[in-house]
Amino acid sequence: MKNNMPESRRGKLKKLLETKKHIRVMEASNGLSGLIVENLKVDDLEYDAMWLSSLCDSTFKGKPDNEVVDFSSRVKTIDEILEVTTKPIIVDGDTGGLVEHFVYNVRTLERMGVSAVIIEDKTGLKQNSLLGQDAVQILEDKNVFAEKIRRGKSALKTDDFLIIARIESFIAGETMEDALDRARTYIKAGASGIMIHSYKNDASEILEFMEKFKKEYPDIPLVLVPTTYNYLKDTELFEKGANIVIYANHLLRSAYKYMMLTAKKILVDKSSLEASQEYCVPVKEILTVIGEDDD
Ligand code: SPV
Ligand code: MG
């Protein structure tokens, strides 16, 4: 395997943003899905980086996405993936927690070789953003959140690690002006990039934000997670100004679908014959997914 030591890995996302401008990211939630994102190539296409989703990490553990899976547990998952891959890692840092904890946690991630953390400007019990207005979504005071960014930035030991601010205005039913105003405040506080999120199937608020934001900040990286408005291709989003597009939960969702189909089929058939033909890869294939690594 190529070098996956923290020093050579940490700055890869920053470099990619400088050279490539358009970064395609896939969720990885364990060593195996990390290997898929690391190694998959289709013609000249491949993923540039990995997203360590709070939704997926907690769902794979059978827990809700409300920060009950704590930072120590998240670190274990991150380490598992770091160990077998070399591509840059973007960690979903939820709200970042208490500022007094955040300053320690960013240092831990930086030391491990993670490239970026994205924290969202919510407070109280964090609920998954795709629940939208079906859940209580409380925005943090923008100045309190800006202070968290500022303190996180000054805790860092290198220039390689990015702290990206995620704006949840649309998730909480707030206005375009609120989202833009928060973006300005967080950039002033030192955010290395902005993520804007939406739970709507219609991308119009995202597209309007992107246009206005990019006019004001053409050089600040903009991150999108187009789970709901996936009628737009990433190439279109890149063309309109996105720099990082994250496919945030698709390996979890496809794994769940096939685990359910397989479990049901075996139960009903009282044999694995058809299920293994229809829904499973051969044992031989799974044994060779993990190559020998002695170099
Ligand atoms: C996650 O993947 O955990 C995210 C993105 O935070 S979302 O689920 O859309 O909020
Ligand atoms: Mg999350």
Side-chain angles (χ1 to χ4, degrees), residues 108 143 189 239:
T108 302
N143 295 314
E239 226 170 76

Side-chain angles (χ1 to χ4, degrees), residues 51-56 58 65 74 92-94 118 120 126-129 166:
W51 167 244
L52 270 75
S53 155
S54 68
L55 169 66
C56 300
S58 24
D65 180 20
R74 302 290 308 282
D92 173 1
D94 285 320
I118 301 185
E120 60 195 90
K126 194 219 74 164
Q127 307 261 39
N128 183 270
S129 302
R166 163 171 169 177

Side-chain angles (χ1 to χ4, degrees), residues 23-181:
I23 316 287
R24 205 174 261 125
V25 183
M26 174 54 85
E27 161 238 328
S29 301
N30 48 44
L32 181 62
S33 52
L35 283 174
I36 292 175
V37 185
E38 175 82 12
N39 295 325
L40 181 73
K41 284 192 178 60
V42 181
D43 302 324
D44 60 343
L45 293 171
E46 63 179 294
Y47 293 105
D48 301 299
M50 296 168 208
W51 167 244
L52 270 75
S53 155
S54 68
L55 169 66
C56 300
D57 199 358
S58 24
T59 305
F60 270 123
K61 290 177 169 54
K63 298 270 176 76
D65 180 20
N66 62 7
E67 298 183 293
V68 63
V69 174
D70 68 8
F71 187 71
S72 305
S73 172
R74 302 290 308 282
V75 161
K76 273 198 194 160
T77 307
I78 296 163
D79 192 48
E80 178 180 324
I81 295 169
L82 281 166
E83 211 177 318
V84 295
T85 61
T86 66
K87 287 185 177 173
I89 288 183
I90 305 172
V91 167
D92 173 1
D94 285 320
T95 63
L98 294 173
V99 68
E100 292 83 353
H101 297 175
F102 185 57
V103 289
Y104 284 94
N105 294 344
V106 287
R107 263 195 223 137
T108 302
L109 296 175
E110 184 186 32
R111 182 172 43 76
M112 292 173 82
V114 167
S115 299
V117 67
I118 301 185
I119 53 168
E120 60 195 90
D121 58 354
K122 291 207 295 244
T123 189
L125 179 69
K126 194 219 74 164
Q127 307 261 39
N128 183 270
S129 302
L130 299 178
L131 294 168
Q133 295 294 282
D134 294 338
V136 181
Q137 310 276 6
I138 308 166
L139 290 182
E140 181 58 279
D141 176 276
K142 65 175 183 178
N143 295 314
V144 171
F145 192 72
E147 182 59 15
K148 199 182 278 186
I149 295 167
R150 214 171 277 120
R151 295 271 301 276
K153 285 283 286 188
S154 50
L156 296 176
K157 302 283 182 207
T158 71
D159 288 336
D160 291 342
F161 187 89
L162 310 180
I163 297 179
I164 296 173
R166 163 171 169 177
I167 296 171
E168 294 279 288
S169 303
F170 301 145
I171 302 297
E174 262 296 343
T175 61
M176 181 67 56
E177 208 27 68
D178 181 75
L180 288 163
D181 183 45

Side-chain angles (χ1 to χ4, degrees), residues 17 21-24 214 218 220-223 238 241-245:
L17 279 165
K21 299 269 190 278
H22 299 150
I23 316 287
R24 205 174 261 125
K214 277 288 159 179
I220 300 281
L222 184 65
V223 183
F238 289 138
N243 302 100
I244 298 180
V245 168

